[in-house]
């Protein structure tokens, strides 16, 4: 689980005459791969200030049910910290790997209790093979099934939940925040994790400071309620950011791996919206552009979109773009379809009376 220099494939892995290489030259000519230090300085300052102000408000409000409003605010702030750690992992912010890893661990491990090294490894593999049933870790059938083949082979919890998984998807997202914390802690047992001791110290420090603040400022009952509201909404927010990007898009299997451009474009989906959507989704609403150019600064993704869309139209490559609500509908519809073998009779007709 060694941390890699970048998350995702390199920006130009193809030969000079390839479809992606021609697109890359257009993007480079538009200056969209240049860094944005001013933007990220302002964004880091804004997120840091929001983080400090939210915890200050928590202390000042103290023993009151109004503190749950701070829990809601902190769920959003934690999500913004996660999005910033995501950009850092993709080397959008810092040029050097060491600086990226240090900031990523501070933001991820210390700031929100997410194991940065574990997440980076997982996200790297996702970027290399998005929506590939065997190679994308985001399609592991550990709780939900993502294809009908997975449904047929499902046992235990995936089989139990598979019948109604479309209905359960958003309720299950309330557990995603807890899952990030647990997965980060479990990754410390992996000897291949880079800087395992440092990651562990930061994770333990976050947990101690977080729980200490809750139970020092609030009585036990309110502290537990605050924790549940905060962590559950944090999980829903993160899941709502990432769900529209690939769920409901074509799933690849086996040796089905087209060239780089098609592998990224055909499995990803953009979400329409304005500046507010860009902030709330952290630029990941331009998922196609992000997967093609993972180190592109997030404010440039909007500018890259018409170039990428036009290039795909020239090639006859399907470019999927939809609204946010429609993307959630597509996600839920794909989950419902994937669970069909568990829900109903076997797809293969069982032999009946009079059949041979």
């Amino acid at each position: 689980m060694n941390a890699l220099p970048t998350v995702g494939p390199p920006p130009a892995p193809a030969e000079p005459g390839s479809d992606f290489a021609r697109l890359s030259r257009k993007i480079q000519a538009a200056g969209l791969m240049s860094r944005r230090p001013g933007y990220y300085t302002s964004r880091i300052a804004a997120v840091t200030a929001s983080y400090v102000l939210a915890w200050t408000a928590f202390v000042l409000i103290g023993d009151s049910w109004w503190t749950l409003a701070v829990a809601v605010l902190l769920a959003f702030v934690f999500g913004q910290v996660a999005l910033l750690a995501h950009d850092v992992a993709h080397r959008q912010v810092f040029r050097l790997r060491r600086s990226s890893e240090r900031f990523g661990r501070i933001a991820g491990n210390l700031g929100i209790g997410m194991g940065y090294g574990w997440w980076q490894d997982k996200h790297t593999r996702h970027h290399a093979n998005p929506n590939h049933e065997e190679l994308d870790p985001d399609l592991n059938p550990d709780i939900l099934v993502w294809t009908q083949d997975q449904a047929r082979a499902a046992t235990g919890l995936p089989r139990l939940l598979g019948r109604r998984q479309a209905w359960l998807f958003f309720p299950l997202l309330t557990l995603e925040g807890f899952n990030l914390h647990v997965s980060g802690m479990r990754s410390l047992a992996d000897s291949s994790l880079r800087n395992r001791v440092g990651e562990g110290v930061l994770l333990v420090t976050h947990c101690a400071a977080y729980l200490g603040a809750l139970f020092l400022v609030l009585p036990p009952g309110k502290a537990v309620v605050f924790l549940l509201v905060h962590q559950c909404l944090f999980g829903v927010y993160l899941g709502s950011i990432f769900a529209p990007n690939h769920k409901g898009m074509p799933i690849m299997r086996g040796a089905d791996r087209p060239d780089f451009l098609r592998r990224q474009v055909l499995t990803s989906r953009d979400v329409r919206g304005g500046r507010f959507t860009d902030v709330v989704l952290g630029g990941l609403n331009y998922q196609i552009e992000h997967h093609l150019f993972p180190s592109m600064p997030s404010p440039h993704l909007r500018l890259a979109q018409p170039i990428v869309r036009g290039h795909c139209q020239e090639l006859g490559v399907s470019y999927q773009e939809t609204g946010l609500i429609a993307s959630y509908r597509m996600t839920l519809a794909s989950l419902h379809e994937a669970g069909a073998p568990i829900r109903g009779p076997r797809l293969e007709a069982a032999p009946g009376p009079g059949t041979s």
Side-chain angles (χ1 to χ4, degrees):
M1 192 180 288
N2 294 326
L4 301 178
T6 60
V7 174
E15 65 275 10
S18 71
D19 292 333
F20 175 73
R22 291 195 296 274
L23 172 61
S24 183
R25 286 194 291 271
K26 295 177 184 178
I27 294 295
Q28 294 282 357
L32 298 180
M33 296 305 297
S34 58
R35 297 188 181 277
R36 292 288 301 272
Y39 164 82
Y40 277 112
T41 299
S42 300
R43 182 172 164 188
I44 291 171
V47 171
T48 302
S50 300
Y51 189 94
V52 172
L53 288 173
W55 281 115
T56 302
F58 168 76
V59 173
L60 292 177
I61 292 173
D63 184 6
S64 167
W65 287 113
W66 283 107
T67 195
L68 295 183
V70 180
V72 176
L73 173 61
L74 269 175
F76 174 76
V77 173
F78 269 42
Q80 289 294 307
V81 174
L83 288 169
L84 192 54
H86 169 272
D87 286 9
V88 168
H90 280 293
R91 300 283 293 279
Q92 298 175 19
V93 183
F94 301 104
R95 181 175 58 85
L96 298 178
R97 184 185 72 178
R98 180 174 296 181
S99 300
S100 299
E101 290 181 350
R102 284 176 177 173
F103 187 93
R105 291 189 184 104
I106 292 172
N109 296 54
L110 183 61
I112 60 176
M114 177 188 77
Y116 178 77
W118 159 80
W119 172 83
Q120 187 186 37
D121 172 76
K122 178 175 178 288
H123 198 60
T124 298
R125 289 182 285 124
H126 159 72
H127 261 265
N129 295 283
N131 259 28
H132 192 288
E133 188 172 6
E134 292 91 28
L135 302 176
D136 185 351
D138 289 350
L139 291 189
N140 286 341
D142 47 0
I143 295 180
L144 303 178
V145 294
W146 305 102
T147 67
Q148 291 194 357
D149 286 343
Q150 290 181 352
R152 294 187 187 97
T155 59
L157 192 58
R159 186 164 191 85
L160 177 65
L161 300 179
R163 292 175 176 271
R164 297 289 182 267
Q165 62 179 17
W167 294 95
L168 295 172
F169 179 70
F170 282 104
L172 285 172
L173 287 182
T174 60
L175 303 177
E176 181 58 25
F178 298 103
N179 176 56
L180 286 177
H181 304 318
V182 172
S183 297
M185 287 293 188
R186 291 178 61 186
S187 71
L188 299 177
D190 187 345
S191 59
S192 67
L193 178 66
R194 187 183 180 91
N195 198 8
R196 184 165 50 152
V197 174
E199 293 232 358
V201 169
L202 292 175
L203 281 175
V204 170
T205 300
H206 169 85
C207 292
Y210 179 84
L211 295 175
L214 263 57
F215 286 94
L216 283 174
V217 173
L218 301 176
K222 283 193 178 78
V224 171
V225 173
F226 184 98
L227 183 149
L228 290 175
V229 170
H230 174 220
Q231 295 295 334
C232 289
L233 289 181
F234 172 48
V236 171
Y237 180 34
L238 280 186
S240 298
I241 292 172
F242 289 96
N245 301 338
H246 302 282
K247 303 302 184 265
M249 297 302 292
I251 293 178
M252 299 181 182
R253 298 171 179 84
D256 186 14
R257 295 183 79 243
D259 64 86
F260 179 79
L261 183 142
R262 287 164 181 80
R263 187 161 74 247
Q264 305 299 334
V265 174
L266 296 177
T267 60
S268 304
R269 175 171 59 235
D270 276 14
V271 174
R272 288 191 292 267
R275 298 292 182 180
F276 178 77
T277 305
D278 292 358
V279 172
V280 172
L281 299 185
L284 296 183
N285 41 316
Y286 305 105
Q287 189 68 194
I288 295 173
E289 289 71 27
H290 170 61
H291 261 258
L292 287 169
F293 302 97
S295 61
M296 178 184 290
S298 59
H300 287 173
L301 295 172
R302 169 185 283 272
L303 303 177
Q305 186 184 49
I307 299 176
V308 174
R309 186 196 294 120
H311 190 75
C312 289
Q313 289 174 347
E314 292 174 8
L315 297 173
V317 175
S318 176
Y319 181 101
Q320 178 71 252
E321 184 181 10
T322 187
L324 183 61
I325 302 303
S327 72
Y328 291 142
R329 282 200 294 263
M330 294 173 68
T331 297
L332 297 179
S334 69
L335 284 168
H336 184 74
E337 181 181 355
I342 301 174
R343 216 171 31 251
R346 293 180 181 273
L347 294 185
E348 298 81 16
T355 61
S356 57

